[in-house]
Amino acid sequence: MTTATKTTLPTGERADLLEALAKQRHFLRFTTRDLTDEQAGQRTTVSELCLGGLIKHVTSVERNWVRFIQEGPSSMGDFTAMTEDDWARRADEFRMLPGETLAGVLAAYAETADRTDELVATLPDLDAAHPLPKAPWFEAGAQWSARRTLLHIIAETAQHAGHADIVREALDGAKSMG
């Protein structure tokens, strides 16, 4: 947590949300322990997923949903209007690109995590809600509160930590748990 968050000392529900998110972040980051940049970018299954790319994706997801909490759906754009180039840029979130390093990816994730933790600690109202952005996977007219959005960030992080565990085990047999 950031220094500001530590002085704010979230309690109750906010502390629970931050603890749940911290646990899932830990499992995701832990899958990259002792890896080289090359290993972090290696695909080990038939999917496009690699460990560095998973962390890049979760960083982007968390950053975008935090902006949604703060600014509403306009911060995320209209997914129904995305072009092939937009989708290609989005696919790059799942890869380690030339010049990217595992240390850099992890640092960006830590910075995003600090901003999220600060928001959770200081947000005036977890019930504040915004309409969801236009996307074929969202129900038209649905809204999410800040709380619901944070639960989504936790779920997304947990899901991708599980993906990362599979990728890591296929890479060298190491596991996050067990």
Side-chain angles (χ1 to χ4, degrees):
M1 285 185 183
T2 63
T3 305
T5 302
K6 286 180 182 174
T7 60
T8 306
L9 295 175
T11 60
E13 179 183 22
R14 292 168 193 261
D16 291 345
L17 289 167
L18 288 173
E19 182 181 341
L21 184 53
K23 184 175 188 174
Q24 299 312 314
R25 286 177 182 148
H26 164 75
F27 285 129
L28 179 59
R29 285 189 310 265
F30 189 63
T31 63
T32 66
R33 67 196 178 284
D34 304 322
L35 293 181
T36 65
D37 294 337
E38 182 180 316
Q39 289 171 312
Q42 187 176 342
R43 292 176 45 206
T44 63
T45 68
V46 296
S47 80
E48 292 290 322
L49 301 178
C50 68
L51 293 170
L54 280 165
I55 292 172
K56 282 177 54 179
H57 173 68
V58 171
T59 300
S60 175
V61 164
E62 187 169 322
R63 187 181 305 127
N64 289 335
W65 281 114
V66 164
R67 280 197 336 253
F68 170 81
I69 290 170
Q70 296 171 311
E71 302 167 23
S74 63
S75 67
M76 296 180 86
D78 179 349
F79 291 98
T80 64
M82 287 179 66
T83 66
E84 284 187 37
D85 287 342
D86 294 331
W87 286 110
R89 277 189 296 279
R90 188 173 169 95
D92 283 344
E93 289 179 2
F94 289 96
R95 312 179 175 88
M96 293 280 289
L97 300 176
E100 291 181 330
T101 65
L102 179 57
V105 167
L106 289 169
Y109 188 39
E111 182 180 312
T112 296
D114 284 347
R115 283 196 306 267
T116 301
D117 292 353
E118 180 67 22
L119 176 68
V120 172
T122 61
L123 192 66
D125 184 4
L126 292 176
D127 289 322
H130 297 291
L132 290 173
K134 284 187 178 180
W137 48 85
F138 292 135
E139 178 185 343
Q143 292 190 73
W144 279 5
S145 66
R147 177 185 298 98
R148 173 65 185 91
T149 304
L150 291 166
L151 291 169
H152 178 73
I153 292 169
I154 294 166
E156 180 98 7
T157 304
Q159 177 181 15
H160 290 308
H163 292 145
D165 198 36
I166 291 167
V167 171
R168 178 61 191 258
E169 188 172 358
L171 178 67
D172 64 4
K175 299 177 187 177
S176 297
M177 294 178 66

